[in-house]
Amino acid sequence: MSASSFVQQALRAWQLALPHLRLRAPQRTHRAGRRWAKGFLIGVLVGYALLSVRLYQLQVAQHERWKQRAAQQHMRKRVLPGERGRFLMQDAGREVVATVSLERGSLLVEGRARQPEDAAALVETLDSVLDFTPEERAKLEAFVAAEKSLYVRRRKLTPEHMRAIREAKLSHVSLSVEPIRVHPFGPLTAQVVGLTRLADDEARGREVLAGTIGLERTWNRELQGRDGFQRVRLDSRGRELAEPCADDLDPSAGADVALTIDRSIQAVAVRELARTAEEFKPQGAAVVVVDPATGDVLAIASWPTADPNDLGKDFQEGLRLRAITDTYEPGSTVKPLVVGTAWEQGLGGPGRAISCPQRWKLPGRRKPIVDVHRVGDVTELDVLIQSSNVGAVKIADRLGKDGLEQALRAFGIGAATGLGIAGESRGSTGNLSKLHSPTVLGSVGQGYAFSVTPLQMALAYGALANGGTVYRPRLVRALQAPDGTPLATFEPQVLSRPLSAAMVEGPLREALIAVVNSEHGTAKRAKSDVYTIAGKTGTTKLLVDGRYHEKEIVASFCGFAPAERPRLAFSAVVWGPTTSKGKVWGGTVAAPLASRVAVQALRILGVPESPKPAPETVAERR
């Protein structure tokens, strides 16, 4: 069969099978239709071209950008905070932690639409981990049902809590870490170390602990650690899937600050201050103990105090380090500094006779100089032992205006000590420029008309203990890495040498031993059967709003021990002590306080007891 006959038969068969369909010969396309088809085709081609360009942009030109955005949706960069450095104290030849940072967490529950069973499971899981109160659980249920975001700020979520929450892999729940500062010894070092608070750090883009007062503020930059980070992958429900990445960065801790403070001696100072406060109900009190050979501050404490782990409403008062912020007129404790300088310059001597009537008028001064008790004709050494105001002013008058001012300033009076804690007072020494006035000179010679801090007087008596050298107080011994590697060390610094060793270790020491250990001394209650204590008492009227209070006083005692080879210098000051058992004096309030602290501190340091009998005093030789 030929091809043409086959086609004809096929067409006939088609017509018989489907008579309603007729095959027609093709007709010529209309011109408008052809233009439309051409336009459509061009449009399709342009669309494909634009699509190709966009695909090129997405897949090639902007590949990294969209890759990062995709990663951000499925990856989260968890900041690993660098731990804040610690404060370290000395204790029996080893270092103990005074302040440390701990990680605590806050929980963020994101506001998302959840199935009722998922919302109930979320609340149940969090309750099982955090042990909500009924009120907390009801609040969480309400927020989850309302699809609102909230922080479950129990604050201080422990690492165990945070670990349990992470292991639960809850949907759209994340944790933020909040570091807190912990003081293992409570109020022992609160006034020295100070406090921190959470503050925004723009460079880190988060809140960090920042020092607000004390050494936390002074060394804030050095204490800050370096943050690290860890990348975590998120599944489709926002749950974290921890996966190690090559570019993860471990955090590094800040520098540790090694203090010179001895924990045991500091504890003694705090305890004895509380005992004195219980007995005399003062307005405030302070104790400072230093190593006279270096200026190291072994203890510095004030009362009242506060526990930084549990601050009350009036914690500001308890965090005030009165040993450097509060001042007082030193009274008779300044007499050894003035008299010793006069002797050093040949303007008198310990054996030189001097007349000390009970009332004496300095020429040009309206108000007479008065002694509490009659001293009479004695040697200048007895002026110190019996604390004669008349004798002290007579000797101070020999120094004159310039000599008396230089003598006091040489011991650091009127200058900041450089302890390194903000808020330190220099004292008030404006009247030292008015010593040409007999009125002012007569007051300064008795320890009035200028003020000092307890720390200044402890350092001054350190010079009387070490041979005549005034040191800058050293509170920070070193900065070191967490493993103990030294990063920076701070050596003792000499400020001045106002007196010679011969003067300090000779007549001045003899006089100060007699003040405590002789029958004519004013500090008999500082006497110890274990160590020979040397020192001087001070009793001045309390200055209130520019006027002297007639009944309230400031009691003080400054000294060193053991007298034969001093290991400690110290000062004790009590503002406004009261008692129902008669009058209060420096010798009845501050002297026993200082003695108790000194004796216990020397035992802690393992200092051998003083030889028995105690060194013979001038009064006993007579």
Side-chain angles (χ1 to χ4, degrees), residues 13 41 242 278 307 348 376 396 453 485 489 519 543 592 596:
L41 180 59
E278 179 67 25
D307 187 348
T453 66
T485 303
T489 56
E519 61 175 319
L543 195 62
R596 293 195 301 268

Side-chain angles (χ1 to χ4, degrees), residues 94 103 200 244 255 303 339 419:
R94 62 190 179 92
E103 285 188 356
D200 288 329
W303 182 93
V339 172
L419 184 68

